[in-house]
Amino acid sequence: MITLHLVDAAQRDRVGSFPAFDPDHDDLMDFRRMLAEGTTSLLNSDAVSYEERHIAGPKDAPDVRVLLFHPSETDLPVPAILYIHGGGMIAGTPEMQAGTLTRLAQETGALIVSVDYRLAPEIPFPGGLEDVYAALVWLHHQASTLGVDASRIMVMGDSGGGCLAAATALLARDRGETPLCGQFLIYPMLDLRTGGPEAPSDDPTTGEFVWTRAQNRHAWAAVRGNLADNDPLFGYLSPAFMQDLSGLPPTIITTGSLDLFRDEDVTFAHRLWQAAVPTDLIVYARAVHGFDMLASPLTDRAKRDVTDGVRRLLAKI
């Protein structure tokens, strides 16, 4: 382990505990099962509470399953967060973050809707993105029924879900039917070149743990399918390629200094600043991809930053 000594000391002995996936030798279905099994004990906890619904999906597509995490606050209407789970867009379920989203709903007073979007390679781009966008449209249309303030809806996602959150914000801007008050991108996966020979940068201190270059290349190939470089939708597949970032809502991006996505996240934040989009960027020293899932003082700090950031994005100004 070449970069282990750079990892936060309180997390150093556990960074290898995440489910591993070697795309050259391992079965994707086994990786998906490992991720699902890792949430079983959490879902049996009294601290986790959510409501499951099935809503209309994109045109000619199946219904979309969503999980609703309700705040205990009863002063309606409440703000809302559309949340998109991680897993490289090839794995994961909304249940993975059930504990985090239960807590976040209580701490922010927001209704959180987490989307069970279709995964690649079975459903390549834009299937998963359209599922997420369908959930956003549903949330807007049902805002009054759900007790939600339609002017205070934001998108949020981690890792591959951060990519879909960014792409959803771009779709919302361009389709003009679902205004957003913010986007919160947690170590988002934004540039399909990362980990490959065409990567704009490739720092060897990044990407050794949790999500590797090999995993990233495999995931992007699965999600991309046969989409051509010059396809008009390419910037929605990989938001790093979207030429125009103006008109997006206030943004918060967090990442780790040892995360494979560090440089693409910093670059995206820089481009948002150039496009006059109010953007906060936090890069946590000694943090690997997914660091906030390991109990430590560093994780506690990141959780406070998330809660504070969400409150700011949802605040009425």
Side-chain angles (χ1 to χ4, degrees), residues 14-263:
R14 288 172 292 157
V15 293
S17 65
F18 288 89
F21 174 56
D22 180 348
D24 293 328
H25 301 98
D26 298 336
D27 186 272
L28 177 59
M29 296 303 171
D30 290 338
F31 179 55
R32 289 176 179 175
R33 280 192 289 271
M34 284 190 291
L35 288 178
E37 289 168 0
T39 65
T40 301
S41 59
L42 174 64
L43 295 178
N44 293 327
S45 168
D46 292 338
V48 172
S49 176
Y50 60 83
E51 172 192 358
E52 181 178 306
R53 294 195 189 186
H54 289 80
I55 64 173
K59 184 179 180 181
D60 299 325
D63 287 351
V64 177
R65 186 174 73 100
V66 296
L67 305 184
L68 276 62
F69 297 83
H70 294 275
S72 55
E73 179 180 317
T74 56
D75 186 14
L76 300 178
V78 298
I81 302 168
L82 187 73
Y83 195 90
I84 306 101
H85 70 79
M89 296 177 279
I90 60 172
T93 69
E95 284 85 356
M96 288 195 314
Q97 295 283 22
T100 295
L101 299 184
T102 296
R103 174 186 56 80
L104 189 62
Q106 303 313 314
E107 292 180 349
T108 63
L111 171 69
I112 302 178
V113 178
S114 187
V115 188
D116 190 8
Y117 57 91
R118 290 170 293 170
L119 302 172
E122 295 89 342
I123 306 295
F125 176 87
L129 175 58
E130 291 293 354
D131 288 346
V132 174
Y133 187 78
L136 177 61
V137 171
W138 171 82
L139 180 54
H140 268 276
H141 288 173
Q142 297 298 316
S144 59
T145 302
L146 295 168
V148 164
D149 180 351
S151 69
R152 291 192 293 159
I153 296 176
M154 60 173 280
V155 291
M156 184 176 186
D158 64 282
S159 193
C163 174
L164 290 172
T168 299
L170 290 166
L171 274 184
R173 177 198 68 180
D174 296 341
R175 292 181 178 176
E177 58 182 346
T178 50
L180 294 170
C181 69
Q183 62 174 339
F184 201 127
L185 312 179
I186 300 173
Y187 36 75
M189 175 181 175
L190 300 170
D191 192 331
L192 55 72
R193 296 169 296 182
T194 297
E198 297 181 354
S201 64
D202 190 21
D203 185 342
T205 68
T206 67
E208 182 177 4
F209 298 104
V210 186
W211 192 255
T212 66
R213 287 162 178 77
Q215 286 173 299
N216 205 51
R217 293 192 300 270
H218 177 87
W220 273 119
V223 175
R224 178 177 181 172
N226 297 319
L227 194 74
D229 291 356
N230 61 353
D231 193 290
L233 298 179
F234 201 82
Y236 300 108
L237 164 71
S238 180
F241 286 84
M242 183 62 72
Q243 292 186 354
D244 180 12
L245 298 182
S246 63
L248 288 170
T251 300
I252 299 174
I253 300 174
T254 63
T255 191
S257 65
L258 307 178
D259 194 313
L260 180 65
F261 301 147
R262 181 199 65 196
D263 290 349

Side-chain angles (χ1 to χ4, degrees), residues 233-311:
L233 298 179
F234 201 82
Y236 300 108
L237 164 71
S238 180
F241 286 84
M242 183 62 72
Q243 292 186 354
D244 180 12
L245 298 182
S246 63
L248 288 170
T251 300
I252 299 174
I253 300 174
T254 63
T255 191
S257 65
L258 307 178
D259 194 313
L260 180 65
F261 301 147
R262 181 199 65 196
D263 290 349
E264 65 189 76
D265 295 344
V266 172
T267 298
F268 198 70
H270 191 269
R271 292 187 58 218
L272 287 168
W273 293 325
Q274 291 177 318
V277 177
T279 302
D280 287 349
L281 170 68
I282 304 176
V283 181
Y284 294 97
R286 300 178 294 277
V288 301
H289 191 73
F291 75 95
D292 51 340
M293 300 179 197
L294 299 172
S296 70
L298 174 61
T299 293
D300 293 340
R301 178 160 63 93
K303 287 181 177 179
R304 289 193 297 270
D305 289 340
V306 167
T307 300
D308 291 345
V310 167
R311 286 173 175 162

